[in-house]
């Protein structure tokens, strides 16, 4: 069994064929899908998809760093409130993104810290989005007091050194489509770390693996990521499926998979 720990299947990119994708996932052995939230406008779609597919889709709740704006406090309040109404799998996706915009640097950092605290308070794991900010993100996570559970550095794109810091904190790294790209710098990282630190993800509709690059991504492509990792590690794809699914179950442990 494969677990896609990160897909935005609730977005309108999938409105026309969402059920077909879920059917294709089943055919390919991708049996569990975790849905990271983006902001207050997407939360109802996340929950609707999870409610319609209670055995397959699991909702997360958090504010994506690219959507932190001047109204951040209000949005956080709305999101926080909803943890008392719904059983979420994790706090996510949260973090820091300096790639697109640094206008709200202070607000991003503050929202990230606040949401890590929610995770402690609610005893939920958290899922991190970090782009052009990995050193800072690792520092903030390292400094965060009383992390109850674990977290996933989703779409990890750092160095071996970054990976080792994350491993030392007992956290996992989400690996997706980019590992299948020619000249991916991640190959050296995957080669040097143990499979037990990795979970699989698509981040669909983004980051489509080869040979579908340029098309919309979907969770049924997850075995392509697993196959590439299997080739790099010189193990079977079954082993990658088994170990990464066990890892996902450990991190996202409040959901009985
Ligand atoms: Zn992300
Ligand atoms: Zn995402």
């Amino acid at each position: 069994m494969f677990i896609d720990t990160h897909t935005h299947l609730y977005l309108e990119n999938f409105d026309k064929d969402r059920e077909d994708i879920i059917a294709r996932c089943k055919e390919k052995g991708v049996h569990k899908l975790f849905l990271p939230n983006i902001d207050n406008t997407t939360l109802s779609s996340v929950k609707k998809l999870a409610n319609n597919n209670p055995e397959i889709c699991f909702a997360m709740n958090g504010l994506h760093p690219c959507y932190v704006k001047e109204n951040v406090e209000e949005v956080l309040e709305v999101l926080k409130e909803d943890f008392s109404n719904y059983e979420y799998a994790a706090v996510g996706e949260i973090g820091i993104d300096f790639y697109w915009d640094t206008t709200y640097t202070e607000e991003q950092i503050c929202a990230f810290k606040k949401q890590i605290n929610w995770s402690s308070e609610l005893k939920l794991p958290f899922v991190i989005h970090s782009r052009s900010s990995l050193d800072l993100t690792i520092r903030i996570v390292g400094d965060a007091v009383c992390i109850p559970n674990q977290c996933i550095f989703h779409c990890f794109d750092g160095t071996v050194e970054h990976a080792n810091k994350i491993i030392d904190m007992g956290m996992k790294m989400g690996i997706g489509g980019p590992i299948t790209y020619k000249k991916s710098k991640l190959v050296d990282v995957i080669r040097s770390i143990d499979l037990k630190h990795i979970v699989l993800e698509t981040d669909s509709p983004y980051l489509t693996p080869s040979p579908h690059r340029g098309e919309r991504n979907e969770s049924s492509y997850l075995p392509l990521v697993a196959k590439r990792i299997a080739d790099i590690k010189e193990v079977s794809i079954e082993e990658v499926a088994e170990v990464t699914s066990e890892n996902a179950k450990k991190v996202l442990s409040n959901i009985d998979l």
Side-chain angles (χ1 to χ4, degrees):
M1 174 179 81
F2 297 101
I3 298 177
D4 187 351
T5 59
H6 197 111
T7 169
H8 298 277
L9 183 59
Y10 56 87
L11 290 177
E12 57 190 22
N13 312 52
F14 300 107
D15 278 355
K16 289 205 179 92
D17 59 350
R18 196 169 283 116
E19 295 309 312
D20 297 342
I21 290 170
I22 292 177
R24 284 200 287 275
C25 283
K26 285 180 188 161
E27 277 167 32
K28 298 283 184 183
V30 184
H31 292 299
K32 308 287 173 187
L33 311 177
F34 284 86
L35 312 173
N37 185 46
I38 291 173
D39 66 8
N40 53 322
T41 67
T42 52
L43 198 58
S44 60
S45 312
V46 170
K47 287 191 285 187
K48 187 176 165 206
L49 180 56
N51 289 339
N52 289 344
N53 301 276
E55 303 291 312
I56 301 164
C57 297
F58 306 96
M60 303 182 197
N61 178 7
L63 177 59
H64 190 296
C66 291
Y67 294 79
V68 168
K69 295 177 292 202
E70 61 283 341
N71 65 347
V72 58
E73 287 307 321
E74 289 160 53
V75 174
L76 287 178
E77 211 169 293
V78 171
L79 297 183
K80 175 73 195 298
E81 178 68 31
D82 209 48
F83 279 102
S84 47
N85 305 322
Y86 195 91
E87 210 175 308
Y88 287 102
V91 178
E93 55 182 298
I94 65 174
I96 300 173
D97 190 317
F98 292 153
Y99 182 79
W100 295 107
D101 191 6
T102 52
T103 311
Y104 296 104
T105 297
E106 288 296 312
E107 289 87 349
Q108 281 197 39
I109 293 170
C110 181
F112 182 39
K113 288 180 178 171
K114 206 171 224 179
Q115 292 178 96
I116 294 176
N117 287 339
W118 294 357
S119 136
S120 306
E121 193 186 310
L122 298 161
K123 299 192 170 28
L124 286 173
F126 56 107
V127 172
I128 294 176
H129 169 111
S130 174
R131 196 159 182 206
S132 306
S133 63
L134 197 50
D135 287 307
L136 176 61
T137 308
I138 289 172
R139 216 176 318 130
I140 290 173
V141 173
D143 289 347
V145 280
C146 64
I147 292 170
N149 267 309
Q150 283 205 336
C151 83
I152 297 170
F153 280 75
H154 124 76
C155 190
F156 176 79
D157 71 344
T159 61
V160 174
E161 204 185 355
H162 289 127
N164 285 328
K165 281 184 186 164
I166 291 169
I167 291 167
D168 286 345
M169 293 192 290
M171 311 299 189
K172 304 275 187 269
M173 284 158 274
I175 305 295
I179 191 67
T180 67
Y181 303 163
K182 266 183 202 147
K183 297 179 189 164
S184 168
K185 288 188 189 123
L186 270 181
V187 172
D188 289 336
V189 178
I190 298 300
R191 208 171 267 143
S192 74
I193 65 175
D194 195 286
L195 271 184
K196 68 182 177 197
H197 306 299
I198 296 172
V199 295
L200 302 181
E201 64 171 56
T202 57
D203 200 18
S204 55
Y206 317 109
L207 301 176
T208 313
S210 300
H212 299 285
R213 212 173 167 183
E215 301 165 27
R216 182 192 66 177
N217 196 5
E218 62 175 66
S219 295
S220 72
Y221 295 162
L222 196 62
L224 295 167
V225 173
K227 176 72 172 70
R228 180 72 185 113
I229 294 173
D231 290 347
I232 295 167
K233 301 297 282 179
E234 298 177 339
V235 297
S236 67
I237 188 168
E238 289 78 13
E239 186 174 341
V240 173
E242 196 184 314
V243 176
T244 56
S245 293
E246 277 312 307
N247 298 342
K249 286 179 193 173
K250 266 183 218 152
V251 182
L252 302 158
S253 59
N254 53 315
I255 299 290
D256 214 359
L257 293 172

